[in-house]
């Protein structure tokens, strides 16, 4: 069999796997970008010493633990605190003053992964005197990453790297004020998480559940095709109050999406938008 | 062979090497040139570095953007770049591959699947082995490969690694690669 035929078969196997996940467990990955799905699935096939995607499909159908592993593989959990510091600087300068005008504030971190951005946000809110007025809803498709997020414990090596981000993001104190170092871990102040609710939420099938003043969803949309990007952005748009804001990844864009007309950009270089009043 | 796209991967020494490879390419070239280069994030962007080098549009590839002929695309710093079946780009922030993000392998492998035997893959100077597996995949699916002559390369590790994986490919100097690409303009039948 030649390589092109093998490629064709591999693509059929991938489609069958995605369909099988949907039929058996209800998780819908049909509108994820194909290159992403394929790379992650082939990586799993290799790590588990399997020969084909079909073998993985079979294991997944009979064993829920295999599905859980696939869910982890498909959601990218590469994150850091104050990642892309300019974003947090802009939040501080352009978004916080607007949030301050509301008596109570709802923030939705969609696809919060292991919680690094949630803690970053909580630190920012604390420094701006807003933490007590805010409810943060941090959601992810994966229970496993949410469990890590709730703990607020990270490797000390990572935390050292994040200190620089914190400073570049305009941090007002010393980053070490927010955690206790123990052995090779940093345990973050649980007080930061007191108004945070962690929830399992699947952006593809679950509905809107709050009236949000701010939605943060960075580097999640890039794994979706255009159709699903639109669907998820419409969900965010529906969840935001008029004048509410959304922050997305630096290489993501509302331009060319179905919600473009409903938002205006409020920062020059980072992707933070405000829902127009009357929309 | 009629190419529908060129992909180029390079690392250390690549900024200067590309200045030779991309020089004076005409907009009549009826294909996109898609490049992964491992360099630190710069605020001035790729189009500034290569300004005036040729008359093609030079830009950073954007997520879900349609790939157009006559445009030179660079993978953005810190994102993997891949190509989808509908000739659009997608970005990813997943783990580094070969210690690199963007990774040449990720671009090359996804491009190989989409363009199969209409793809030209080029590996230039570099100090790691990223791109070798990607180039092998291009070759397997019927595409063509060029590797910069390691004797000439500023860093020969990347070209030599690529050569370990593929049995036949064109070994060329930067100037010959440049001439080869320019000849593709207009009537790109080799």
């Amino acid at each position: 069999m030649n390589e092109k035929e093998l490629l064709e078969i591999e693509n059929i196997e991938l489609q069958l796997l995605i369909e099988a996940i949907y039929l058996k467990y209800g998780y819908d990955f049909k509108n994820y970008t194909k290159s992403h799905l394929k790379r992650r699935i082939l990586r799993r096939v290799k790590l588990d010493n399997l020969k084909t995607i079909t073998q993985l499909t079979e294991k997944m159908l009979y064993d829920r633990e295999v599905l859980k592993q696939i869910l982890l593989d498909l959601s990218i959990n590469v994150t850091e605190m104050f990642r892309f510091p300019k974003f947090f600087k802009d939040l501080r300068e352009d978004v916080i003053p607007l949030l301050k005008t509301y008596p109570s504030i709802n923030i939705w971190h969609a696809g919060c992964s292991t919680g690094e951005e949630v803690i970053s946000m909580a630190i920012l809110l604390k420094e701006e005197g807003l933490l007590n007025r805010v409810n943060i809803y941090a959601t992810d498709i994966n229970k496993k990453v949410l469990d890590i997020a709730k703990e607020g414990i990270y490797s000390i090596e990572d935390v050292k790297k994040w200190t620089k981000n914190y400073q570049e993001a305009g941090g007002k104190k010393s980053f070490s004020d927010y955690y206790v170092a123990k052995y090779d871990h940093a345990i973050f102040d649980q007080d930061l998480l007191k108004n945070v609710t962690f929830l399992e939420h699947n952006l593809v099938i679950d509905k809107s559940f709050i009236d949000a003043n701010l939605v943060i969803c960075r580097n999640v949309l890039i794994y979706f095709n255009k159709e699903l990007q639109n669907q998820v952005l419409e969900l965010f748009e529906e969840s935001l109050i008029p004048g509410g804001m959304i922050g997305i990844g630096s290489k993501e864009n509302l331009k060319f999406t179905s919600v473009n007309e409903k938002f205006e950009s409020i920062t020059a270089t980072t992707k933070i938008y405000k829902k127009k009043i009357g929309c | 062979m009629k190419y529908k796209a060129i992909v180029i991967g390079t690392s250390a020494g690549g900024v200067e090497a590309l200045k030779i490879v991309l020089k004076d390419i005409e907009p009549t070239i009826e294909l996109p040139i898609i490049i992964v280069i491992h360099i630190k994030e710069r605020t001035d962007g790729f189009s500034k570095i290569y300004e005036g080098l040729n008359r093609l549009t030079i830009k950073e590839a954007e997520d879900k953007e349609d790939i157009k002929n006559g445009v030179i695309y660079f993978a953005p710093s810190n994102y993997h770049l891949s190509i989808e079946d509908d000739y659009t780009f997608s970005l990813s922030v997943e783990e580094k591959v070969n210690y690199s993000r963007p990774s040449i392998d990720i671009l090359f492998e996804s491009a190989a699947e989409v363009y199969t035997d209409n793809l030209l893959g080029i590996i230039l100077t570099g100090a790691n082995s990223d791109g070798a597996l990607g180039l092998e995949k291009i070759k397997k699916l019927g595409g063509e490969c060029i590797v910069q002559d390691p004797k000439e390369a500023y860093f020969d590790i990347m070209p030599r690694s690529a050569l370990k994986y593929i049995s036949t490919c064109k070994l060329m100097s930067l100037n010959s690669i440049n001439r080869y690409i320019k000849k593709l303009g207009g009537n790109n039948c080799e």
Side-chain angles (χ1 to χ4, degrees):
Chain A
M1 208 176 294
N2 71 34
E3 289 291 333
K4 275 193 194 165
E5 279 179 273
L6 289 171
L7 174 64
E8 193 194 339
I9 293 169
E10 205 174 63
N11 287 334
I12 293 171
E13 291 184 275
L14 180 70
Q15 263 190 44
L16 292 174
L17 170 71
I18 299 306
E19 189 65 31
I21 293 174
Y22 180 64
L23 291 175
K24 178 75 176 81
Y25 301 104
Y27 288 96
D28 187 352
F29 290 103
K30 278 176 246 170
N31 286 320
Y32 275 53
T33 55
K34 189 190 144 206
S35 68
H36 168 69
L37 284 173
K38 191 161 181 191
R39 192 160 61 239
R40 302 303 290 179
I41 292 298
L42 288 177
R43 175 176 164 275
R44 177 51 47 198
V45 166
K46 204 172 163 191
L47 287 173
D48 287 358
N49 288 314
L50 304 173
K51 287 197 182 69
T52 62
I53 297 176
T54 302
Q55 289 180 350
L56 182 66
T57 306
E58 188 183 358
K59 281 180 67 181
M60 179 276 302
L61 283 171
Y62 289 97
D63 184 353
R64 200 183 174 98
E65 289 305 310
V66 176
L67 170 84
K68 285 187 189 164
Q69 184 57 56
I70 293 175
L71 292 185
L72 271 181
D73 289 333
L74 292 183
S75 67
I76 301 303
N77 298 303
V78 179
T79 176
E80 54 191 72
M81 290 198 193
F82 294 96
R83 174 184 208 157
F84 194 44
K86 182 79 171 73
F87 179 79
F88 287 89
K89 202 159 193 281
D90 285 355
L91 279 182
R92 195 189 287 271
E93 288 166 6
D94 300 324
V95 173
I96 297 284
L98 294 172
L99 290 182
K100 279 183 176 166
T101 63
Y102 294 91
S104 77
I105 300 151
N106 286 333
I107 297 178
W108 179 12
H109 274 269
C112 71
S113 187
T114 41
E116 284 86 339
E117 283 205 344
V118 179
I119 295 211
S120 311
M121 176 64 82
I123 290 173
L124 178 62
L125 292 167
K126 190 169 184 181
E127 292 183 0
E128 295 299 322
L130 273 184
L131 190 58
N132 291 329
R133 273 154 64 188
V134 173
N135 288 308
I136 296 180
Y137 298 88
T139 67
D140 202 279
I141 190 175
N142 268 309
K143 188 174 177 302
K144 211 164 166 177
V145 294
L146 289 173
D147 289 341
I148 297 170
K150 281 178 202 165
E151 295 283 320
I153 301 173
Y154 303 95
S155 131
I156 196 82
E157 283 308 307
D158 287 338
V159 172
K160 281 179 194 159
K161 276 185 274 170
W162 300 339
T163 303
K164 190 167 167 273
N165 286 354
Y166 169 75
Q167 287 157 353
E168 283 176 21
K172 288 181 172 171
K173 297 174 78 175
S174 161
F175 195 46
S176 59
D177 291 349
Y178 296 106
Y179 63 85
V180 176
K182 203 168 187 184
Y183 303 108
D184 48 359
H185 287 93
I187 303 164
F188 278 78
D189 184 358
Q190 274 292 324
D191 208 40
L192 292 168
L193 296 178
K194 70 178 177 194
N195 292 340
V196 182
T197 310
F198 291 98
L199 294 169
E200 264 184 86
H201 183 279
N202 183 340
L203 290 171
V204 183
I205 51 171
D206 291 333
K207 302 276 178 272
S208 166
F209 61 98
I210 46 161
D211 290 325
N213 301 76
L214 174 65
V215 170
I216 305 287
C217 183
R218 296 203 297 156
N219 294 319
V220 174
L221 295 169
I222 48 177
Y223 303 109
F224 301 160
N225 69 16
K226 282 180 195 165
E227 191 188 334
L228 185 55
Q229 283 189 350
N230 285 337
Q231 183 193 319
V232 172
L233 283 168
E234 283 163 23
L235 173 69
F236 292 149
E237 193 269 325
E238 191 189 320
S239 303
L240 282 167
I241 60 163
M245 291 161 282
I246 180 167
I248 58 177
S250 60
K251 301 298 176 194
E252 293 169 329
N253 223 313
L254 293 191
K255 200 173 62 179
F256 312 126
T257 69
S258 58
V259 300
N260 187 39
E261 296 296 306
K262 297 188 171 169
F263 287 88
E264 55 191 338
S265 179
I266 57 167
T267 50
T269 52
T270 51
K271 300 290 173 52
I272 304 175
Y273 303 84
K274 186 171 158 189
K275 183 172 162 183
K276 292 179 188 166
I277 310 277
C279 276
Chain B
M1 182 188 292
K2 177 143 172 71
Y3 299 127
K4 287 185 180 157
I6 299 175
V7 286
I8 303 177
T10 183
S11 142
V15 172
E16 294 307 311
L18 283 172
K19 284 182 184 167
I20 300 172
V21 168
L22 301 176
K23 194 171 171 19
D24 295 334
I25 297 173
E26 288 296 321
T28 48
I29 189 160
E30 290 171 358
L31 45 75
I33 299 175
I34 306 157
I35 302 170
V36 165
I37 175 168
H38 305 147
I39 53 171
K40 282 237 170 79
E41 186 145 20
R42 344 188 1 153
T43 45
D44 51 356
F46 295 105
S47 44
K48 268 280 185 316
I49 305 176
Y50 297 108
E51 203 168 33
L53 197 63
N54 58 44
R55 294 192 289 128
L56 272 66
T57 303
I58 300 177
K59 71 187 292 293
E60 199 174 83
E62 293 180 65
D63 187 52
K64 306 295 172 301
E65 178 180 13
D66 289 323
I67 300 171
K68 293 201 180 88
N69 290 344
V71 178
I72 298 175
Y73 297 97
F74 281 88
S77 299
N78 251 318
Y79 284 80
H80 292 303
L81 177 67
S82 27
I83 293 171
E84 301 296 322
D85 292 341
D86 60 356
Y87 304 102
T88 59
F89 289 118
S90 59
L91 300 177
S92 158
V93 290
E94 69 201 76
E95 301 87 344
K96 291 181 176 181
V97 173
N98 308 315
Y99 311 100
S100 311
R101 188 174 54 220
S103 150
I104 301 167
D105 277 343
I106 285 187
L107 172 67
F108 279 22
E109 286 172 10
S110 63
E113 293 199 3
V114 173
Y115 293 105
T116 60
D117 45 14
N118 301 118
L119 181 66
L120 173 61
I122 304 175
I123 286 286
L124 306 175
T125 165
N128 70 22
S129 63
D130 192 20
L133 292 173
L135 203 65
E136 184 191 27
K137 182 141 189 177
I138 291 174
K139 193 82 204 180
K140 269 190 181 169
L141 286 166
E144 191 58 73
C145 300
I146 297 176
V147 173
Q148 184 187 3
D149 189 341
K151 282 195 257 81
E152 181 213 64
Y154 198 73
F155 287 98
D156 66 357
I157 299 173
M158 191 170 276
R160 285 194 196 282
S161 307
L163 291 172
K164 270 189 219 157
Y165 282 88
I166 44 173
S167 47
T168 53
C169 76
K170 296 179 163 69
L171 214 56
M172 291 188 188
S173 69
L174 295 176
N175 282 312
S176 334
I177 298 171
N178 175 248
R179 279 195 298 274
Y180 185 87
I181 295 176
K182 279 196 285 195
K183 268 202 303 196
L184 300 176
N187 175 23
N188 63 358
C189 294
E190 169 63 359

